[in-house]
Amino acid sequence: MNDIQTIQSRIYEIRGQRVMLDRDLAELYQVTTGNLNKAVKRNIKRFPSDFMFQLTTEEWELLKFQIGILKNGRGQHTKYLPYAFTEQGLAMLSGILNSDIAINVNINIMRVFVANWFYTRLKNLTDYYGN
């Protein structure tokens, strides 16, 4: 799976927003989830609730079911509920993560979100005009 497909497969809709989870971002950035969240907490003023939010237990259980995390799979016994980053939160991450890997991953994430935006608009126009 290429980088773009990997990113696309890790975008979820939660609370009516397209988001990526801290654990998926950490894997893409090749850091631990704990270190990613520490960097965010050191810069928490950059992440208002419309940029980042923590999933509720119910949201996490539903998402685990939807994405097929099994009982013995990764994420079954997480110590903390995951954080979800909206598109704006992902853009803000680019300002606090400065490794070459993080920069390249963020460029690809922005490309995916822009492509998805165009696809959604095109689909809406096609549905509206019936073509």
Side-chain angles (χ1 to χ4, degrees):
M1 189 178 296
N2 70 32
D3 291 342
I4 300 299
Q5 290 172 321
T6 299
I7 292 166
Q8 285 175 326
S9 71
R10 294 174 185 200
I11 297 174
Y12 309 107
E13 187 162 325
I14 302 171
R15 300 183 193 176
Q17 298 187 68
R18 291 181 331 187
V19 299
M20 292 186 74
L21 300 181
D22 56 359
R23 68 191 206 119
D24 293 329
L25 290 165
E27 186 176 321
L28 291 169
Y29 295 140
Q30 299 179 18
V31 298
T32 66
T33 304
N35 284 340
L36 174 77
N37 287 332
K38 284 178 192 173
V40 169
K41 287 184 189 336
R42 283 193 303 268
N43 295 277
I44 199 65
K45 289 182 181 179
R46 296 175 182 258
F47 296 94
S49 62
D50 57 327
F51 284 26
M52 176 191 81
F53 56 87
Q54 191 168 29
L55 272 62
T56 65
T57 303
E58 295 79 21
E59 289 168 332
W60 179 228
E61 291 300 321
L62 181 60
L63 186 61
K64 286 193 300 184
F65 177 76
Q66 289 175 347
I67 62 178
I69 296 175
L70 303 175
K71 294 272 185 219
N72 60 355
R74 178 174 162 248
Q76 174 60 25
H77 300 292
T78 55
K79 188 173 179 181
Y80 303 104
L81 291 169
Y83 286 95
F85 292 84
T86 65
E87 185 174 357
Q88 293 84 2
L90 293 165
M92 195 59 71
L93 275 175
S94 68
I96 66 170
L97 302 173
N98 292 315
S99 73
D100 287 343
I101 291 170
I103 291 167
N104 290 328
V105 167
N106 271 348
I107 289 168
N108 285 333
I109 288 171
M110 291 300 113
R111 286 179 175 151
V112 168
F113 271 87
V114 169
N116 285 343
W117 183 86
F118 278 111
Y119 173 77
T120 301
R121 297 307 174 273
L122 181 60
K123 183 177 180 333
N124 290 343
L125 285 173
T126 302
D127 291 347
Y128 182 77
Y129 290 108
N131 291 328

